[in-house]
């Protein structure tokens, strides 16, 4: 049975933000899905969402709005890397980071992290 961790990020333009999803039991990261409001693509002013370990030393996936924006209500699945290093102990956190380039963008993004029991 999969375990699902969810969160929501509401961010202003030029504001970086972190969301930490705490693993209640040992888990293995399997999939990350995003659903956002409308965020326009812009090659100069954009945001980058990263899925990382809590310390930020491993990045499992990224999604930037530099070339492709978000459409309202469209669910996207991210391609995950670091296949051999996606295990989290109970009490560890998965970090979802919003970083901004130049003046950035404002937005709201729902995050759904699907995991298997570790």
């Amino acid at each position: 049975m999969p375990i699902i961790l969810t969160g929501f990020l509401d961010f202003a333009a030029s504001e970086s933000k972190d969301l930490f999803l705490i693993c209640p039991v040992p888990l293995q990261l399997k999939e990350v899905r995003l659903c956002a409001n409308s965020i326009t693509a812009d090659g100069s002013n954009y945001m980058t969402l990263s899925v990382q370990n809590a310390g930020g030393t491993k990045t499992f996936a990224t999604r930037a709005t530099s070339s492709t924006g978000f459409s309202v209500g469209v669910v996207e699945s991210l391609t995950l890397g670091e296949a051999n290093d996606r295990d989290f102990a109970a009490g560890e956190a998965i970090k979802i980071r919003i970083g901004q380039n130049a003046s950035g963008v404002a937005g709201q993004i729902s995050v759904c992290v699907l995991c298997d029991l570790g």
Side-chain angles (χ1 to χ4, degrees):
M1 169 180 251
I3 303 292
I4 301 169
L5 306 173
T6 61
F8 181 76
L9 287 156
D10 186 0
F11 50 95
S14 74
E15 176 185 29
S16 294
K17 195 169 259 192
D18 292 334
L19 168 69
F20 292 92
L21 302 173
I22 300 168
C23 300
V25 295
L27 297 175
Q28 183 178 61
L29 178 63
K30 289 296 190 184
E31 187 176 355
V32 177
R33 295 179 188 168
L34 307 174
C35 189
N37 67 336
S38 180
I39 301 175
T40 304
D42 187 308
S44 299
N45 301 305
Y46 60 90
M47 54 76 57
T48 301
L49 180 142
S50 300
V51 180
Q52 305 175 330
N53 63 345
T57 58
K58 296 275 185 194
T59 298
F60 305 103
T62 60
R63 170 64 164 88
T65 59
S66 53
S67 60
T68 306
F70 283 97
S71 297
V72 174
V74 175
V75 177
E76 295 183 19
S77 289
L78 298 181
T79 301
L80 297 175
E82 301 288 341
N84 296 325
D85 203 14
R86 291 192 226 143
D87 293 324
F88 292 83
E92 282 189 298
I94 299 169
K95 178 167 68 172
I96 311 298
R97 166 162 277 208
I98 296 289
Q100 301 277 4
N101 188 67
S103 61
V105 296
Q108 295 87 34
I109 299 176
S110 293
V111 179
C112 182
V113 176
L114 287 78
C115 301
D116 281 341
L117 291 174

